[in-house]
Amino acid sequence: MGTPPRSQSPYQESEFGTYPPSAEKVVSSYGKITGERIVPSGARAANNLGLTTQVPVEELFLTNGKARTLMLGRKKVFLKHAPSWQTAMPNSKAGEAIRAISHMGPQRAASLAKAVRSKLTTREWEQVSKMKPSVPAWMVNAINETELAN
């Protein structure tokens, strides 16, 4: 069995050779096929928002579907079941903000919510605020504290 024509191949070309698609692209396509919402983990969201310089080592995504492990070549990609509020607002900074605050936990939520607020537009923060009925009480408190401080 030969390789598919270049127009159909998921592999990318660069000056350094051929490489497979990113885990994000594969997982995004997988979510479209299965109808699941699949979003980057809270650790990845915190990194994407510039709240931490740490880059997660393992490829972990949150899903509203069942937990499973996908193999992309030799690389493991973990899909972890999460509550619907954690997978809400995929592909948005507001959704990343919710996941980042959740990932950091109750002890750091208030300070992180303030840092997150400074990274978002007013409209994006309003989307975060609209999630208050769905998130845990400790996150509601952190969001409220941030709103009172501004």
Side-chain angles (χ1 to χ4, degrees):
M1 202 171 186
T3 59
R6 287 190 191 273
S7 62
Q8 295 177 5
S9 176
Y11 285 81
Q12 305 287 318
E13 294 282 335
S14 79
E15 60 188 73
F16 303 109
T18 304
Y19 59 95
S22 69
E24 289 83 9
K25 281 187 178 182
V26 173
V27 167
S28 174
S29 294
Y30 184 76
K32 287 176 186 170
I33 291 167
T34 62
E36 296 175 27
R37 268 194 319 246
I38 302 175
V39 296
S41 68
R44 175 79 58 195
N47 179 264
N48 290 347
L49 289 169
L51 301 169
T52 178
T53 57
Q54 295 176 335
V55 179
V57 175
E58 69 180 17
E59 295 286 351
L60 174 65
F61 294 85
L62 305 177
T63 178
N64 63 342
K66 66 179 186 171
R68 61 181 93 58
T69 302
L70 305 176
M71 293 299 296
L72 304 180
R74 294 184 198 153
K75 185 186 220 178
K76 287 184 179 180
V77 177
F78 301 96
L79 301 181
K80 178 182 174 186
H81 178 77
S84 60
W85 60 267
Q86 283 190 343
T87 61
M89 298 184 290
N91 306 315
S92 74
K93 279 189 165 184
E96 285 195 329
I98 291 291
R99 288 185 287 283
I101 295 168
S102 172
H103 172 72
M104 295 299 185
Q107 291 74 26
R108 297 187 56 202
S111 63
L112 193 71
K114 289 175 184 141
V116 164
R117 175 64 188 100
S118 69
K119 306 267 182 190
L120 303 179
T121 65
T122 301
R123 185 169 170 359
E124 290 166 338
W125 182 257
E126 287 170 357
Q127 290 177 312
V128 169
S129 189
K130 286 179 184 174
M131 288 294 296
K132 288 192 285 189
S134 304
V135 301
W138 58 268
M139 285 183 68
V140 172
N141 292 339
I143 293 168
N144 286 340
E145 277 183 41
T146 301
E147 290 174 346
L148 290 173
N150 285 330

